[in-house]
Amino acid sequence: MVNSGHHPTVTQQYTRAIVRSWEDSGLPVSEELQAIIDEIARHQRVPMPLQDRLWLSMAKDYPEPDLGLRLGHYVQPGNLDIVGFLLMSCDTLDDALEALVTYHPIVGEGGEFLMTEGENSCSLIYSPYHTICREIRVEAVLATLMQLASYLTDNTFNPSYVSFQHKALMDYKHYEQVLGCPVQFEQVADAMVFPKAQLAKPLVQSNKILYSHMRQLADEALKGLQDHSIRFEVEQVIKVNPNWGKEKVAEQFGISGRQLNRNLSREGVTFKLIADEVRLSMAREWLSDSLPVNEVAYRLGYHDESAFNKAFKRWTGHTPGEFLQIVS
């Protein structure tokens, strides 16, 4: 099989699950789509550009707004590689969501998850890195999350609502029918929101022995991804020093800023993209922990609160205050 190298990748199992959902839905497989499916089969992990082509081809062959919901709704834990079996073996929903946040890169490196807890509610937020077919892919991920939570808890999971950053692609009623809960649009985050008490829900297939084994395999798989990624190393430097610029970070690797960007370009990213993603993740975490906005701005190296507010709005389309509305 082809080694996918340093580019962000997605596991074969998840990609095959999406393709299987397409086929099971009775949708036709065009010559172009079949060629992409055949190319995917030659990769151990699917490079993100090839995953992008898959979604573009499916969106062209089925230009209906329910594509993401249709394909994501049928994904099962077993389609998530090691991570799926790890989730199933956890004791509680809280344990499973924590494992998902930690180990999701094994499934795919196309985005990140963040758990936030308010006084009475929790949000599992999904932040994609990709822009190609963003809306339908986000809807596929949120549909998958809802399906997983329901499956793991033997259909007792009862969310408050699902929120999307984008505008509704179709009638609200169809979203609610597929997702099984109210849906909100043009919100601060793409998220699954649910009562905090549901974190304690026991999982029907909890198994401590299997959990221990799968946790070890997941640790090894995650380390294998990270060992071959300069992106991961850059992320770690920025997390410790979020106010550092490209040249300062490059010094830690004994290279120039230009060389650092060249190396990162082989993984399909730039220093600015990584820095923005890490700072946004840290900002969300600190804001969710009730750290004052001016303190968050200072920690991230912004010269004043206004500059941070502008950056946060550029990243998310919303102000820090608007973001706090979803996690309060």
Side-chain angles (χ1 to χ4, degrees):
M1 287 190 172
V2 177
N3 183 343
S4 54
H6 295 302
H7 295 284
T9 58
V10 179
T11 185
Q12 269 275 8
Q13 283 84 344
Y14 181 73
T15 306
R16 284 204 299 264
I18 293 297
V19 172
R20 191 177 305 115
S21 295
W22 174 276
E23 295 170 341
D24 290 347
S25 295
L27 297 174
V29 179
S30 64
E31 289 186 9
E32 176 186 303
L33 180 56
Q34 186 60 57
I36 295 172
I37 293 172
D38 292 341
E39 186 176 350
I40 285 171
R42 297 195 294 270
H43 291 264
Q44 184 175 9
R45 286 180 61 89
V46 182
M48 194 57 64
L50 184 53
Q51 190 80 359
D52 292 341
R53 285 173 53 202
L54 174 69
W55 280 99
L56 282 169
S57 180
M58 291 190 298
K60 183 174 72 173
D61 291 349
Y62 182 78
E64 300 298 326
D66 68 334
L67 178 60
L69 294 184
R70 175 188 284 258
L71 300 185
H73 183 64
Y74 294 101
V75 175
Q76 299 292 324
N79 302 132
L80 304 184
D81 208 326
I82 297 168
V83 177
F85 295 102
L86 176 63
L87 298 183
M88 286 190 287
S89 63
C90 289
D91 283 337
T92 66
L93 183 61
D94 189 11
D95 296 332
L97 295 181
E98 181 181 348
L100 177 65
V101 170
T102 302
Y103 295 105
H104 70 85
I106 298 172
V107 179
E109 300 167 284
E112 69 168 334
F113 290 96
L114 171 70
M115 269 287 293
T116 66
E117 295 186 23
E119 184 176 351
N120 298 309
S121 68
C122 295
S123 300
L124 179 60
I125 298 171
Y126 175 62
S127 299
Y129 299 150
H130 55 74
T131 57
I132 293 175
C133 299
R134 185 191 188 282
E135 290 84 0
I136 59 174
R137 289 165 79 173
V138 165
E139 291 187 0
V141 170
L142 266 295
T144 296
L145 290 179
M146 293 289 290
Q147 174 70 10
L148 290 175
S150 179
Y151 182 96
L152 294 172
T153 60
D154 196 23
N155 299 317
T156 63
F157 179 65
N158 187 24
S160 302
Y161 61 90
V162 168
S163 69
F164 292 107
Q165 288 188 331
H166 56 265
K167 296 180 180 179
L169 304 181
M170 55 195 148
D171 188 84
Y172 280 44
K173 291 181 180 179
H174 186 72
Y175 284 97
E176 294 177 355
Q177 180 181 359
V178 174
L179 298 175
C181 69
V183 183
Q184 300 178 7
F185 295 92
E186 298 182 77
Q187 300 298 306
V188 69
D190 299 300
M192 179 177 74
V193 183
F194 55 94
K196 190 173 182 179
Q198 299 217 13
L199 290 174
K201 278 188 174 294
L203 303 193
V204 292
Q205 299 186 43
S206 173
N207 185 316
K208 292 186 182 299
I209 295 176
L210 179 61
Y211 173 82
S212 179
H213 178 60
M214 299 312 300
R215 181 71 178 262
Q216 182 178 354
L217 292 178
D219 284 336
E220 292 172 357
L222 188 61
K223 186 176 186 300
L225 286 176
Q226 295 168 348
D227 282 348
H228 298 288
S229 172
I230 188 172
R231 173 181 184 150
F232 173 78
E233 295 176 8
V234 170
E235 286 175 348
Q236 301 316 298
V237 173
I238 297 174
K239 285 178 181 178
V240 177
N241 308 281
N243 59 330
W244 281 10
K246 180 176 64 178
E247 297 298 334
K248 185 68 174 177
V249 171
E251 286 180 14
Q252 307 307 301
F253 303 100
I255 58 178
S256 67
R258 181 177 296 180
Q259 181 62 49
L260 176 62
N261 251 346
R262 279 202 295 267
N263 292 345
L264 289 171
S265 70
R266 300 189 187 105
E267 299 184 22
V269 294
T270 64
F271 177 82
K272 185 179 185 307
L273 177 64
I274 295 174
D276 282 352
E277 288 171 355
V278 172
R279 289 166 185 157
L280 173 57
S281 178
M282 297 176 77
R284 282 173 163 162
E285 182 176 351
W286 287 333
L287 289 170
S288 300
D289 289 339
S290 301
L291 201 69
V293 175
N294 62 342
E295 177 65 19
V296 174
Y298 172 76
R299 290 190 181 188
L300 293 177
Y302 290 93
H303 55 81
D304 58 33
E305 185 176 326
S306 175
F308 167 66
N309 287 342
K310 290 179 181 178
F312 194 90
K313 188 163 187 178
R314 185 179 75 250
W315 296 331
T316 68
H318 299 273
T319 66
E322 291 169 339
F323 167 74
L324 287 172
Q325 292 177 7
I326 198 173
V327 298
S328 59

